[in-house]
Amino acid sequence: MDFSFLLDFYYWEIFLKGLGMTLVLAILAVSFGTILGFIPALMRVSGKKVLEVIASFYVEVIRGTPLLVQVLLIYSFIKVPATVVMGIELSSFIPGMLALLINSSAYVSEVIRGGILSVPKGQLEASQSLGLSYPLSLRKVILPQAIKNILPQLGNEFVTMIKETSIFMYLGIAELMYSAQIIRSQTYQVKESYIVVAVLYLLLTFPTSRLMAYFEKRLKKSDAK
């Protein structure tokens, strides 16, 4: 195999730009996906049957269909005028980002719901016996305790999103996989380009996974004290 193209900074510049875009996409997806994910999560623990059914249907549909199908569907339904901002084609970026947010929100909602349900029911009963309403009990008592279980799982979702951003290649957004496509077409080094991309993905995901594992271990130790 020939990796001589890596001696040219021009190709590294393409890889690094793709790496940066991948990180931005993953951070946006998890950040806003978490905010959006609170809606179905709270609906499913609300105790109101209608809200539970609607939220469950949303989560099951999103989790039960491929991300690529979701991206292509949203891209076909939402037409954004061709506009380039900071080198990003918004007509592709906005539908793709929306699909990624929706996908992330469905998975994050289950993380949040699991964190809420992990708090002993006695906590909710005790807070309500003190006169707190159900929403206030969630905000003041349940969620602060659930955060400890939610945060490590959000780290895992971030790792997943880093890999899922490769779907943007089909929309022409210059993330990491798209960068490999560019370099492959210019150098004809197919295997080498994908090997470099695989290593770059690993450099992003492995330290994040280890950090989340360490963080989770520390939280468990603090709970045991």
Side-chain angles (χ1 to χ4, degrees):
M1 287 188 283
D2 182 11
F3 289 94
S4 59
F5 65 94
L6 292 178
L7 297 175
D8 191 335
F9 182 73
Y10 166 76
Y11 296 116
W12 274 114
E13 189 176 12
I14 294 174
F15 276 130
L16 291 176
K17 284 182 178 179
L19 190 69
M21 178 58 73
T22 292
L23 275 174
V24 168
L25 292 171
I27 290 170
L28 287 176
V30 174
S31 299
F32 290 99
T34 299
I35 296 172
L36 186 60
F38 267 98
I39 298 173
L42 294 177
M43 288 172 68
R44 295 189 74 180
V45 298
S46 65
K48 297 181 179 179
K49 193 65 177 177
V50 175
L51 295 180
E52 289 178 17
V53 169
I54 293 173
S56 296
F57 178 76
Y58 169 80
V59 170
E60 291 302 323
V61 168
I62 299 303
R63 295 181 66 186
T65 53
L67 177 57
L68 179 58
V69 174
Q70 296 166 18
V71 169
L72 295 178
L73 272 175
I74 292 177
Y75 184 76
S76 64
F77 277 110
I78 298 178
K79 300 298 181 183
V80 179
T83 308
V84 178
V85 177
M86 298 177 64
I88 300 174
E89 177 54 69
L90 296 185
S91 62
S92 297
F93 180 83
I94 291 177
M97 194 72 247
L98 182 58
L100 209 60
L101 289 178
I102 292 173
N103 184 271
S104 179
S105 72
Y107 285 91
V108 170
S109 72
E110 286 298 278
V111 171
I112 296 171
R113 186 173 74 95
I116 292 173
L117 294 178
S118 69
V119 178
K121 289 183 178 180
Q123 298 285 334
L124 178 61
E125 294 169 356
S127 63
Q128 289 183 313
S129 68
L130 293 174
L132 295 179
S133 64
Y134 182 73
L136 199 57
S137 297
L138 275 178
R139 185 163 61 89
K140 294 287 188 178
V141 179
I142 305 301
L143 285 177
Q145 297 181 68
I147 290 297
K148 285 187 176 183
N149 295 324
I150 292 171
L151 285 178
Q153 295 302 317
L154 288 181
N156 294 332
E157 176 64 13
F158 179 64
V159 170
T160 300
M161 278 297 111
I162 288 175
K163 294 179 286 186
E164 295 285 14
T165 56
S166 60
I167 211 79
F168 276 79
M169 176 185 70
Y170 296 101
L171 301 179
I173 301 298
E175 45 70 60
L176 203 47
M177 275 300 295
Y178 190 80
S179 300
Q181 295 287 84
I182 294 173
I183 294 174
R184 185 195 70 174
S185 64
Q186 293 182 4
T187 64
Y188 301 104
Q189 305 299 326
V190 179
K191 297 187 295 293
E192 293 84 349
S193 298
Y194 289 138
I195 287 173
V196 173
V197 165
V199 171
L200 290 175
Y201 273 120
L202 192 59
L203 288 175
L204 286 177
T205 58
F206 183 75
T208 305
S209 298
R210 293 300 90 204
L211 181 63
M212 287 302 106
Y214 171 77
F215 186 54
E216 188 172 6
K217 189 176 180 181
R218 290 294 299 271
L219 287 176
K220 288 180 179 178
K221 283 185 177 179
S222 66
D223 288 339
K225 290 180 180 179

